[in-house]
Amino acid sequence: MRRQRSTKQRKLVYDTVQALRDHPTADEIYLTLRSVEPKISRGTVYRNLNLLTENGEVRHVAMPDADRFDWRTERHYHLRCTQCGAIVDAPMPYRAELDSQLAQDTGFQVRRHHLVFEGLCPACLQQNAEGKDQA
Amino acid sequence: MRRQRSTKQRKLVYDTVQALRDHPTADEIYLTLRSVEPKISRGTVYRNLNLLTENGEVRHVAMPDADRFDWRTERHYHLRCTQCGAIVDAPMPYRAELDSQLAQDTGFQVRRHHLVFEGLCPACLQQNAEGKDQA
DNA sequence: ATGGGTGCAAAGTGTTTGCAAGTAT
DNA sequence: ATACTTGCAAACACTTTGCACCCAT
């Protein structure tokens, strides 16, 4: 059977996800990490992110631009600004009852759901308002 | 100002999305289309899917494997089987109040949300049960 | 006749993988 | 010593794009 080793790189990837709490992409994690461990490779970052996700130590968040990673491992929702791309956690509890309700209604075994809100963040709204004044 | 022309290819792409009601990918649409219009190119299919989406004539559905397209244009939720990849519409109404509630709570201007359930479809559940009997 | 659209192929992006060398156990 | 892991680069999968020709208006 295969046993997972504890390597410096894996620890660094984990620590970086914990440190960067703004839902970084694999590449952002890689770039951050490179200043600490210049020889680390993208492949290693991707592989470790996948391993850590399987282990449940970090959480994978699929976004339209790229896969992102989240230090929070409990299920929760996200809110994305379609203008600047910022992603924040939505202050809204996970509604597990939706899963069981849908299971009842469809015959599927529903494991979970992903909920992503889209809109404009306060900063972008403000910026747009200023831009309009000038125009 | 730019005016959109009506071309044979655009009509074919639209008709194919309407005909394939199982949330096809761009490539599936391309392959289907090729039997009718052998010289059509992937680029044209992608371009027209993007145009039709902007026009609101079809709906774009982001899924982990690829972008998919939906003949239903009203907002609705999806249910994906993580085993066979099937995607079906979730029999659950769009909850617009979540958008306004989150807007209140965060200061974002929330335009919409995407909700995707994940689980196992009845067919895969059945198949797994049979497999287990044999093992 | 204009300028948007098409077909083709090349280029882009994000992610995975084959391989030989390195290293945790 | 064993076999998991790494670094590197090539390979992948999906999508976009440059360009010359075509065609709807």
Side-chain angles (χ1 to χ4, degrees), chain B residues 5 13 16 20 22 25 40-41 49-50 52 56 70 93 110 126:
Chain B
R5 294 182 185 170
V13 170
T16 304
L20 299 178
D22 60 345
T25 63
I40 201 169
S41 73
L49 285 170
N50 288 340
L52 291 169
D70 199 332
V110 180
Q126 174 67 22

Side-chain angles (χ1 to χ4, degrees), chain A residues 35-46:
Chain A
S35 59
V36 178
E37 186 68 22
K39 287 210 308 294
I40 200 167
S41 72
R42 277 193 171 78
T44 295
V45 173
Y46 276 98

Side-chain angles (χ1 to χ4, degrees), chain A residues 58-127:
Chain A
V58 304
R59 195 170 188 76
H60 172 253
V61 183
M63 284 291 158
D65 58 337
D67 290 345
R68 291 170 174 277
F69 295 87
D70 198 332
W71 68 280
R72 284 182 64 194
T73 54
E74 354 82 71
R75 296 182 292 191
H76 59 282
Y77 303 148
H78 293 99
L79 175 48
R80 182 171 69 92
C81 176
T82 51
Q83 187 164 312
C84 68
I87 293 171
V88 304
D89 293 341
M92 186 180 282
Y94 185 88
R95 295 208 181 356
E97 70 274 18
L98 297 182
D99 295 335
S100 43
Q101 185 192 324
L102 199 65
Q104 268 191 326
D105 293 349
T106 63
F108 271 65
Q109 183 181 90
V110 180
R111 194 172 337 188
R112 63 170 160 282
H113 62 267
H114 299 293
L115 178 45
V116 180
F117 293 87
E118 283 183 5
L120 297 177
C121 69
C124 284
L125 285 172
Q126 174 67 18
Q127 190 182 315

